[in-house]
Amino acid sequence: MHIRKQRLLTPGPTPLYPPAMQAMMASDIHHRTQDFRNIYTAALADLKDVLGTSNDVLIFAASGTGAMDASVSNLFSPGDKVVVCSAGKFGERWVEIAKAYGLDVTVLKAEYGQAVSVEAVQAALAAEPATKGVFVQASETSTGAAHDIQGMAAAVGSTDAILVVDGITGIGTMPLDVDGWGIDVLIGGSQKSFMIPPGLAFLSVSKKAWALSETATLPHYYFNLKKEKKSADLGESSWTPATSLILALGEALKYVKSLGMANLVANAQLLALAMRAACTELGLELFAPDSPGSSVTSILAPSGMDSGVIVKELRTRFGAIITNGQGSMKGRIFRIAHLGYFDFWDLFAMVAALETILYSNGIPVEFGKGVAAVQRVYAYAAIPTPIAVP
Ligand SMILES: *Cc1c(COP(=O)(O)O)cnc(C)c1O
């Protein structure tokens, strides 16, 4: 009986940037033409610019996992000793990929909601000097926790190992200084902070990582970094590219450049801060309180309530799609995304809807309390001479 606008508010796919969607309509273009080479070359250059690195940056037609797979199959050999920091479902994916390719994996495990410490990485590297690589998520999207990538890069940098960072939701939500910190491989995906649909994976490759690729013997075919680099230098991709997504990426990157990567990060961080403030006001508990990231805020459902009820009612009452917990976290947590094309308007509405749903399920809430917390964060951050706010 009420109008419910459909809203995609998950931590990937994220809300789409409208000019990028419109750009996709120009995809009646052939990829082996100068017109497309110009577009592809510009997209690669802008991606490098936005990632703030002088390392090579390569794009694959794949979801983010494709670039994770490529980083293992191109840089390592069977039996290589590697360390995986696993703090959630995506850390577990690193373990699965590394094991699938026959690497000798040491897993540094953190409980869901916690992060793996830099000290644990240092200790693992000291215990096994032959370690060839360390794998980690910058932001563990399944729990909302973030890792200290700068600290880990410092720990790994003084060894022969390379640091491979799944930055798929870290990019655009936290500072990641690829060259300054020494991140050897940084992986991203189109459907997260880049505000376009799923289907592109990309990664930056350092000199240290390229050197490792020279001795790597694992088989690979479609995901071939060296071949892709040769193609990219000629303005092409090795295989047929996802033309429409490259057009969209070009448009989205223009927007991110105009905004500034630091401001995109600050936007997500401020929204996450405001969401945490709203949780405090509403008596909601954070799932990763010790190292909360800004890609997504994971919140425990009030005791006695299944988080699926919140997810379902956001959809049925308000047309808003958010995510439940994954695996054993399903039913316990719900996740509010902040990465990419999210703004304060979205968050005001989200928190108001959340208050309404808690109320409709018999949880005592004072309407507007959480919203006011978001308003206060906005007022302090964005109103030049704020009137006195309580
Ligand atoms: C989304 C995501 C991925 C990639 O998943 P795909 O489904 O392959 O795109 C990997 N790591 C993290 C941390 C993610 O959030």
Side-chain angles (χ1 to χ4, degrees):
M1 91 180 210
H2 303 105
I3 289 178
R4 282 173 302 146
K5 297 187 189 176
Q6 181 79 12
R7 294 177 175 89
L8 178 60
L9 302 171
T10 62
T14 60
L16 302 175
Y17 174 58
M21 277 195 280
Q22 286 147 18
M24 295 177 77
M25 287 189 276
S27 52
D28 53 345
I29 185 173
H30 196 275
H31 55 287
R32 307 291 180 208
T33 60
Q34 196 51 44
D35 280 348
F36 189 75
R37 274 182 219 113
N38 294 344
I39 291 165
Y40 197 69
T41 303
L44 279 169
D46 285 348
L47 191 53
K48 237 171 116 135
D49 185 314
V50 157
L51 295 177
T53 180
S54 59
N55 288 344
D56 293 310
V57 173
L58 305 171
I59 303 177
F60 288 111
S63 78
T65 306
M68 295 171 74
D69 190 305
S71 69
V72 174
S73 68
N74 280 261
L75 303 176
F76 296 92
S77 304
D80 274 356
K81 293 187 189 309
V82 298
V83 170
V84 175
C85 304
S86 176
K89 286 285 152 196
F90 292 102
E92 289 162 20
R93 188 171 299 179
W94 268 142
V95 175
E96 286 168 8
I97 297 170
K99 286 191 174 163
Y101 280 108
L103 303 188
D104 180 353
V105 186
T106 298
V107 183
L108 304 179
K109 204 169 164 55
E111 293 299 313
Y112 289 167
Q114 301 293 311
V116 176
S117 70
V118 172
E119 292 71 30
V121 173
Q122 281 167 337
L125 288 169
E128 185 47 87
T131 300
K132 288 268 186 71
V134 175
F135 296 86
V136 66
Q137 269 64 40
S139 150
E140 175 50 76
T141 322
S142 67
T143 69
H147 280 112
D148 177 358
I149 300 301
Q150 185 173 13
M152 287 188 184
V156 177
S158 58
T159 72
D160 289 337
I162 60 165
L163 178 64
V164 183
V165 177
D166 166 0
I168 294 175
T169 57
I171 297 169
T173 66
M174 59 199 278
L176 290 168
D177 185 352
V178 176
D179 297 0
W181 297 352
I183 299 172
D184 294 297
V185 176
L186 179 67
I187 294 167
S190 55
Q191 81 275 29
K192 309 286 171 110
S193 287
F194 291 89
M195 319 171 183
I196 64 172
L200 294 180
F202 32 84
L203 74 175
S204 68
V205 185
S206 73
K207 288 204 177 69
K208 193 175 174 187
W210 279 125
L212 199 56
S213 79
E214 292 304 323
T215 57
T217 60
L218 276 170
H220 47 264
Y221 186 80
Y222 183 82
F223 296 118
N224 184 325
L225 297 184
K226 279 188 219 167
K227 186 177 171 67
E228 206 55 51
K229 156 86 175 125
K230 265 191 208 152
S231 304
D233 286 345
L234 299 171
E236 296 197 5
S237 57
S238 298
W239 324 113
T240 307
T243 319
S244 58
L245 290 171
I246 298 292
L247 289 165
L249 181 66
E251 204 56 41
L253 288 170
K254 271 190 226 161
Y255 178 59
V256 175
K257 275 178 73 175
S258 72
L259 203 63
M261 187 51 144
N263 287 324
L264 182 67
V265 169
N267 182 75
Q269 292 184 333
L270 197 61
L271 291 173
L273 177 79
M275 187 67 227
R276 293 195 295 271
C279 287
T280 304
E281 287 300 321
L282 295 172
L284 292 170
E285 215 181 307
L286 299 176
F287 186 61
D290 301 329
S291 45
S294 299
S295 65
V296 67
T297 300
S298 293
I299 304 162
L300 283 157
S303 64
M305 188 178 184
D306 190 304
S307 65
V309 172
I310 295 169
V311 175
K312 182 168 170 226
E313 288 199 18
L314 275 168
R315 186 180 73 242
T316 55
R317 290 181 187 275
F318 301 107
I321 312 296
I322 70 153
T323 38
N324 200 319
Q326 298 166 259
S328 64
M329 294 169 276
K330 189 161 192 230
R332 291 183 63 209
I333 63 171
F334 59 101
R335 294 177 292 153
I336 306 295
H338 316 295
L339 71 174
Y341 202 54
F342 281 93
D343 67 4
F344 266 92
W345 192 275
D346 295 328
L347 196 59
F348 289 138
M350 174 60 76
V351 175
L354 181 58
E355 289 177 353
T356 309
I357 289 166
L358 294 175
Y359 171 82
S360 74
N361 283 277
I363 310 288
V365 282
E366 195 183 315
F367 281 154
K369 247 186 135 183
V371 176
V374 179
Q375 286 172 307
R376 277 195 291 275
V377 170
Y378 179 83
Y380 285 128
I383 299 178
T385 44
I387 52 165
V389 236

